[in-house]
Amino acid sequence: MDDRRRQFEESAQPLADGLYRAALALARNDADAQDLVQETLLKAYRGFHTYARDDNFKAWLFVILRHAWLDPCRKRKLEPALPVDADPPAAAPAEPLDLDRALPDDLRRAFASLKPAHQVLLILCDIEGFTYREAAAVIGCPIGTVMSGLHNARKKLRAGLTGGR
């Protein structure tokens, strides 16, 4: 195995689960999420020689994930953005996250009821540990949008868990 491949695998392997969780929130089904992660990792490997070693590798991968998600949308001339306050799709969403079956059923149901944009924000900031600034860079929006969207996501998650109390 060449040195470049080894370095890439060592850097990317620990981030694969987080990439999948974010991809699943975007794609809304397992097969598309797996394809999205595979496309992300392939693009990242091909561009690994351009990665500046002092940059945040995790954020770099998540930006590639976002672009891998948006590129086909642009090609199909669909609205690619996930507005923070957009309504969820009319169809019943796929089981959005498993999180290694570690979450109680009520938390999983409350999370699944959130809009995809809110799920992505929670995944990036609360699960993956991105700062607001990093999440804004990954999503491609102002930091204030991340902060307000995350506030709303947490509030709706809390309401889903407490029955609106």
Side-chain angles (χ1 to χ4, degrees):
M1 179 184 314
D2 69 2
D3 192 45
R4 176 179 164 228
R5 180 176 174 184
R6 183 187 53 73
Q7 286 177 347
F8 180 79
E9 288 179 359
E10 287 175 1
S11 299
Q13 181 64 32
L15 305 175
D17 289 343
L19 284 170
Y20 175 76
R21 284 190 288 267
L24 190 56
L26 291 169
R28 310 298 284 168
N29 71 65
D30 179 64
D32 290 343
Q34 288 182 20
D35 289 347
L36 185 56
V37 170
Q38 184 175 1
E39 180 70 18
T40 298
L41 292 173
L42 180 61
K43 286 181 177 189
Y45 180 71
R46 287 179 179 159
F48 191 57
H49 65 282
T50 66
Y51 168 70
R53 300 297 185 249
D54 56 340
D55 285 347
N56 183 333
F57 183 75
K58 184 176 182 178
W60 184 71
L61 273 183
F62 275 80
V63 168
I64 294 171
L65 175 76
R66 182 188 70 159
H67 287 288
W69 168 250
L70 292 176
D71 288 345
C73 294
R74 288 182 186 128
K75 287 178 184 169
R76 286 180 273 149
K77 296 186 182 195
L78 295 176
E79 178 59 40
L82 290 173
V84 173
D85 292 322
D87 290 328
E95 188 67 29
L97 292 180
D98 187 356
L99 293 179
D100 304 323
R101 301 177 197 262
L103 298 178
D105 288 341
D106 58 341
L107 184 54
R108 275 195 297 240
R109 278 191 300 275
F111 186 85
S113 72
L114 296 175
K115 299 168 188 169
H118 284 157
Q119 290 180 3
V120 170
L121 286 172
L122 288 170
I123 289 168
L124 291 176
C125 295
D126 292 345
I127 296 172
E128 295 302 320
F130 281 98
T131 65
Y132 294 152
R133 185 175 317 283
E134 291 169 335
V138 167
I139 295 171
C141 68
I143 193 170
T145 303
V146 169
M147 294 169 70
S148 66
L150 195 55
H151 170 77
N152 290 334
R154 289 172 178 157
K155 185 171 142 185
K156 289 178 183 184
L157 184 64
R158 191 176 310 112
L161 290 170
T162 62
R165 296 184 299 250

